Amino acid sequence: AYDEATAILVGDALQSIAFEIMAHPDTHDDAEIRAELIRRLARTSSAKGMAGGQMIDILGLRDDLGAVARMQRLKTGALIAYAFEIPLVLARASEPKRHALMAFAHDLGLAYQIVDDLLDVEAEAKDIGKAVRKDAARGKANFVTLLGVEEAHQRVDMLREQCKSHLEIFGSRATYLRDSADF
């Protein structure tokens, strides 16, 4: 087992490798494309992304659904969104396609986080491979504590349908992505 300091160092090292990969000419021949990928990765990792979301989480949230949604969009949601930004930048996708896929990514990320909150309440550690009921033990606000289990499930269903509707522009070419929203 590794301690927290080692985990932080490993995270720092992996993040540096991500920048190195994005900067390498094998990523794309066009230096402007590589610079755009790096800029977006920097934003995703910064106070406007994961670091900012983590800081909100550390400071703690109480009874503010908007703040919980913002925190989650900045944390896990930022990583999921960046995974969609990479191919969009590489392909120089049109604005309507960018908008559709980024809306899909944002809603998918939020649905994922709500499902994670639900698993923390409804699942057993042996079934999901991680500790459960830790948010309640820490008194952390999340979608389940603020909405309740039933309404959280309804929110996931709504986000799932929104995810699928964002992909209409792609027709049958988006079948696999559309199916991915059914988790």
Side-chain angles (χ1 to χ4, degrees):
Y2 297 98
D3 61 3
E4 184 177 353
T6 302
I8 291 169
L9 286 172
V10 168
D12 290 345
L14 289 172
Q15 186 178 42
S16 297
I17 291 169
F19 281 98
E20 182 180 1
I21 290 168
M22 292 300 159
H24 197 279
D26 286 348
T27 298
H28 200 279
D29 292 338
D30 188 334
E32 287 184 32
I33 295 288
R34 292 193 312 270
E36 181 64 14
L37 291 171
I38 293 166
R39 184 186 71 75
R40 290 174 188 237
L41 178 58
R43 185 191 66 228
T44 297
S45 305
S46 74
K48 294 179 180 179
M50 292 182 304
Q54 190 59 41
M55 190 65 210
I56 292 170
D57 197 11
I58 289 169
L59 293 173
L61 302 168
R62 297 287 179 263
D63 303 328
D64 185 347
L65 189 60
V68 169
R70 176 172 163 67
M71 175 188 70
Q72 299 306 346
R73 284 198 190 274
L74 291 174
K75 288 174 59 176
T76 308
L79 283 175
I80 291 171
Y82 185 67
F84 280 83
E85 285 185 279
I86 295 167
L88 290 170
V89 170
L90 291 173
R92 295 182 173 133
S94 68
E95 190 55 38
K97 289 179 180 176
R98 279 180 189 254
H99 179 74
L101 282 177
M102 293 312 298
F104 173 87
H106 288 295
D107 286 347
L108 184 72
L110 194 53
Y112 172 87
Q113 188 56 56
I114 297 171
V115 168
D116 188 61
D117 292 347
L118 285 163
L119 288 172
D120 188 61
V121 172
E122 297 178 325
E124 297 300 325
K126 66 179 177 55
D127 296 328
I128 63 172
K130 67 177 188 173
V132 294
R133 298 170 202 31
K134 57 191 178 304
D135 288 347
R138 295 179 187 154
K140 289 178 67 173
N142 64 35
F143 288 97
V144 175
T145 62
L146 296 176
L147 296 174
V149 170
E150 182 64 31
E151 193 170 335
H153 278 289
Q154 291 171 2
R155 187 70 56 106
V156 170
D157 292 341
M158 178 201 65
L159 288 165
R160 180 181 296 118
E161 292 310 311
Q162 283 181 193
C163 281
K164 293 176 181 184
S165 71
H166 294 311
L167 300 176
E168 289 175 2
I169 187 175
F170 300 104
S172 63
R173 293 177 298 150
T175 298
Y176 292 119
L177 268 183
R178 198 173 291 106
D179 291 348
S180 74
D182 291 324
F183 58 91

